[in-house]
Amino acid sequence: MVGPARPLFVLFGSSIVQQSYSNGGWGAILSDIYARKADILLRGYIGWNSRRAVQAVDQVFPKDAAVQPSLVIVYFGGNDSMGPHPSGLGPHVPLSEYVENMKKIALHLKSLSEEIRIIFLSSPPVNEKLIKESTSTALSELVRTNEACHRYSEACIELCKDLDVKCVDLWTAMQKRDDWLHACFTDGVHLSEEGSKVVVEEILKVIKTAEWEPSLHWKSLPTEFSEDSPFDLVAASGTETLNPSDWTFHRKIQWD
């Protein structure tokens, strides 16, 4: 580890997490927002479903770790919701098992620390037409439907209510945009920069309104090494320096 110590945020999930630093992804955006405030670690695994996540959760989040996360953002469900393959192979997980798996993940995370905070992301919608157009011929037919994503999303939301875990309803949030079908995806499933902006906006809403002590909202966290310095850029007056520690003008979006 390097110092000084900061809050640790972990993104844990399938390809929507693994690819969250690509194409203006939501992980990269969060890392920029929390620069000098929190460290964001990526634990994304393309192709994973909740079954694989349960098998690995105690390795990804060991109970005897020297430092436990302040916040874990979890996404599984899209792969689980795919239609079952006749061979029995593939990522499909029945809805009841998916719920049980996500419960196990939540309870394991809660057991790590009394201070740990958790946000689940529910399954976003999909563009079924774009999926068919972009699927590689190396794969057997992918059965992904918006209706199935909705069922898994609703199940995740209900579980979070039962467990008192914060949840982002991505299935609903994405579809608030009139152009969501074409703007939010790169291939009908994975998120474009516009889709990632929706994810960031919803995550920040949850963090800002959560009654967590201490707050993990980026505006509430101290900026590392933010004291004034004679080595900062010199102001136009020529008699003082300007402290740039909290400048955000480089961002296209001024996040709340």
Side-chain angles (χ1 to χ4, degrees):
M1 294 292 292
V2 296
R6 302 175 180 176
L8 175 63
F9 296 178
V10 182
L11 314 182
F12 179 47
S14 54
S15 54
I16 283 178
V17 174
Q18 180 175 326
Q19 297 176 10
S20 67
Y21 279 73
S22 299
N23 305 311
W26 60 275
I29 296 172
L30 284 176
S31 289
D32 175 59
I33 293 171
Y34 279 90
R36 297 174 67 170
K37 294 174 178 288
D39 288 329
I40 298 182
L41 296 185
L42 189 66
R43 290 296 182 268
Y45 304 92
I46 191 168
W48 277 31
N49 56 17
S50 65
R51 194 177 287 164
R52 288 195 73 178
V54 165
Q55 292 173 351
V57 68
D58 58 350
Q59 295 174 266
V60 179
F61 300 97
K63 289 190 175 184
D64 60 353
V67 177
Q68 295 292 357
S70 297
L71 173 66
V72 181
I73 300 176
V74 180
Y75 169 71
F76 293 101
N79 293 327
D80 300 66
S81 74
M82 291 175 61
H85 193 272
S87 68
L89 301 172
H92 171 73
V93 173
L95 184 59
S96 59
E97 182 189 344
Y98 165 73
V99 171
E100 187 61 28
N101 289 340
M102 296 301 283
K103 181 178 180 179
K104 290 176 181 176
I105 292 170
L107 293 179
H108 177 80
L109 293 175
K110 285 189 170 190
S111 74
L112 299 177
S113 165
E114 292 184 0
E115 286 75 38
I116 196 168
R117 310 304 181 193
I118 305 166
I119 300 174
F120 276 13
L121 308 180
S122 80
S123 297
V126 294
N127 181 329
E128 297 176 27
K129 182 174 183 291
L130 186 55
I131 292 171
K132 292 178 180 179
E133 293 172 351
S134 59
T135 299
S136 169
T137 56
L139 297 173
S140 63
E141 181 184 6
L142 300 182
V143 182
R144 285 185 182 265
T145 68
N146 211 20
E147 188 276 331
C149 289
H150 188 205
R151 287 190 289 113
Y152 281 69
S153 174
E154 287 296 304
C156 180
I157 294 167
E158 288 303 310
L159 174 66
C160 288
K161 290 178 182 177
D162 292 341
L163 297 179
D164 193 24
V165 168
K166 301 296 184 183
C167 187
V168 171
D169 179 0
L170 286 183
W171 196 86
T172 299
M174 291 278 182
Q175 294 182 84
K176 289 179 180 179
R177 286 187 58 142
D178 293 336
D179 61 349
W180 71 271
L181 267 172
H182 305 289
C184 290
F185 308 103
T186 59
D187 56 6
V189 175
H190 301 103
L191 302 180
S192 65
E193 183 173 357
E194 291 304 307
S196 282
K197 289 176 183 176
V198 176
V199 179
V200 172
E201 183 178 6
E202 296 301 316
I203 288 173
L204 291 180
K205 283 180 185 177
V206 169
I207 295 175
K208 184 176 182 179
T209 58
E211 295 179 354
W212 292 337
E213 292 294 340
S215 172
L216 296 178
H217 189 255
W218 68 277
K219 291 183 179 179
S220 299
L221 294 176
T223 301
E224 192 172 282
F225 297 127
S226 61
E227 62 276 3
D228 293 338
S229 169
F231 306 123
D232 287 335
L233 296 172
V234 180
S237 66
T239 61
E240 61 182 352
T241 58
L242 298 178
N243 188 332
S245 300
D246 290 309
W247 287 355
T248 62
F249 62 83
H250 66 282
R251 296 175 185 157
K252 293 179 182 179
I253 299 175
Q254 293 299 308
W255 300 98
D256 190 14

